[in-house]
Amino acid sequence: MMRTRPLKVALLGCGVVGSEVARIMTTHADDLAARIGAPVELAGVAVRRPSKVREGIDPALITTDATALVKRGDIDVVIEVIGGIEPARTLITTAFEHGASVVSANKALLAEDGAALHAAAEQHGRDLYYEAAVAGAIPLVRPLRESLAGDKVNRVLGIVNGTTNFILDRMDTSGAGYSEALDEATALGYAEADPTADVEGFDAAAKAAILAGIAFHTRVRIGDVHREGITEVTAADIASARRMGCTVKLLAICERAADGQSVTARVHPAMIPLSHPLASVREAYNAVFVEAEAAGQLMFYGPGAGGSPTASAVLGDLVAVCRNKLNEATGPGESAYTRLPVSPMGDVVTRYHISLDVADKPGVLAQVATVFAEKGVSIDTVRQQGRNPGSGDEAAIEQGGGGRRVGGEASLVVVTHRASDAALSATVEALRKLDTVRGVASIMRVEGE
């Protein structure tokens, strides 16, 4: 039987996501009630600009006093979609203290202070759900936290930022440079006026911290995540990847060490083979590839941002939290029992693609190869980067020549076997000290093989 007294919901924020949450709660009220077992009622909406017209929302529900709203005492669930650290953190903990569970889409806050929020929720016997914080509409948090709870996840590899994926996809398919692709992303609404959080990897790093924490049952904060953005990716990098049968993606990579005693979390651009499932993820879509011992390889794909997709995830959490409320229970909280340390980036082992500008004279390749050998980094291939296509010099380099004999300068591309990031960094530092190396044009990791 359906309970007649409605469950009351407070909405903090009414922007792109919040307004869509309010709309769906209103237009699908009967369906939500049937799924939950009780009606849900929007009891208040906290905003910063009360004068703004918001279609479909009763003006009487609008307030600028978010604190008073969460302190009312009759609120069952608070939906937080305002973002940022404060006042979101204080509002969420206040909601717990006054009897409400919380559904949040706040990746930055969860990545920074998730442990404290989980502790507050547990202290007050409330739920904290946040499916929408990681990959929009893609069901990912709940499968990791519940469906795979009996398995051992070893690796999570994903495209978790639609803006950067759109930019890199445009660079790959149209030959556009970074600036051109960013301008197009901005014009289409995929990039914010200030795209720093996306293009410098901050957004993806927050999501990586959340995913690593859930997947490995340990505490990982955003400060533990190695972060590099895409602003240094060039058309030459994209072209070089294509010649290797690869494409370039900004990846969030969370791994359990081979001995199981530590984890790593990192975000950076990387070349991945065109045969890998993530290589086909186009436009602003997201996808996450999970490797577990028993389940094997799983892939989750879909729109990772936007009002409707994110609202879908928020409302899925709302249904789950309301059901728990009716059953006088709570869902799974933080699972950090392993307490594994997060290893530094230097411990990460992968392959590398390094582009070098070198002097055009005999013996350069031998000097470069010696540096790699001394630092314990094995070379897989060496080839010419095409500054002068058709010159025929690539074969000379492969056979041990000094580089292209054009204009006093040559360009070498070295692809390594697997090596630690620390060893690669030491190699690059030594290369920069060689008189014959004019510059290290780019360094990119090769993943997903």
Side-chain angles (χ1 to χ4, degrees), residues 226-315:
H226 174 84
R227 175 192 55 79
E228 298 173 27
I230 66 166
T231 55
E232 301 300 319
V233 177
T234 66
D237 293 326
I238 301 292
S240 190
R242 192 179 300 117
R243 281 192 289 272
M244 290 177 57
C246 294
T247 189
V248 177
K249 299 290 185 182
L250 182 74
L251 298 180
I253 305 172
C254 311
E255 294 178 302
R256 188 191 301 269
D259 62 5
Q261 299 305 304
S262 65
V263 300
T264 58
R266 50 195 166 106
V267 168
H268 53 72
M271 296 180 180
I272 58 172
L274 294 175
S275 58
H276 195 282
L278 290 178
S280 62
V281 178
R282 311 298 295 273
E283 301 282 332
Y285 278 80
N286 284 193
V288 176
F289 200 72
V290 177
E291 299 174 10
E293 284 198 356
Q297 297 178 334
L298 307 171
M299 180 150 154
F300 302 84
Y301 170 84
S308 294
T310 307
S312 171
V314 168
L315 288 162

Side-chain angles (χ1 to χ4, degrees), residues 18-58:
S19 59
E20 190 65 8
V21 169
R23 183 191 69 79
I24 296 174
M25 283 186 64
T26 301
T27 58
H28 294 79
D30 291 342
D31 283 344
L32 289 172
R35 293 167 193 167
I36 292 169
V40 289
E41 173 189 314
L42 191 58
V45 181
V47 300
R48 285 184 295 179
R49 296 186 295 275
S51 59
K52 181 179 177 180
V53 176
R54 295 172 172 85
E55 290 187 24
I57 298 179
D58 183 352

Side-chain angles (χ1 to χ4, degrees), residues 62-206:
I62 302 296
T63 179
T64 57
D65 193 343
T67 302
L69 178 59
V70 300
K71 282 184 173 182
R72 274 177 37 172
D74 64 338
I75 299 297
D76 295 291
V77 183
V78 169
I79 297 175
E80 183 271 307
V81 288
I82 57 178
I85 305 301
E86 288 291 356
R89 174 167 47 200
T90 300
L91 290 170
I92 288 173
T93 54
T94 301
F96 292 146
E97 292 166 0
H98 288 79
S101 290
V102 173
V103 173
S104 176
N106 195 333
K107 54 188 169 287
L109 176 58
L110 288 159
E112 177 65 31
D113 215 16
L117 294 177
H118 275 292
E122 183 177 358
Q123 177 185 350
H124 296 285
R126 310 299 169 200
D127 274 324
L128 174 63
Y129 277 50
Y130 44 90
E131 184 68 68
V134 176
I138 304 173
L140 186 58
V141 171
R142 194 171 288 116
L144 282 174
R145 190 162 64 173
E146 298 177 27
S147 303
L148 294 173
D151 206 340
K152 182 180 180 182
V153 176
N154 290 318
R155 195 171 196 235
V156 179
L157 176 77
I159 297 166
V160 294
N161 183 272
T163 300
T164 52
N165 200 57
F166 179 89
I167 292 170
L168 293 172
D169 184 47
R170 278 294 184 268
M171 292 175 71
D172 187 30
T173 57
S174 71
Y178 168 77
S179 297
E180 296 170 274
L182 174 58
D183 288 344
E184 184 178 357
T186 304
L188 292 172
Y190 292 126
E192 301 287 345
D194 179 1
T196 302
D198 294 322
V199 300
E200 293 293 355
F202 290 101
D203 174 84

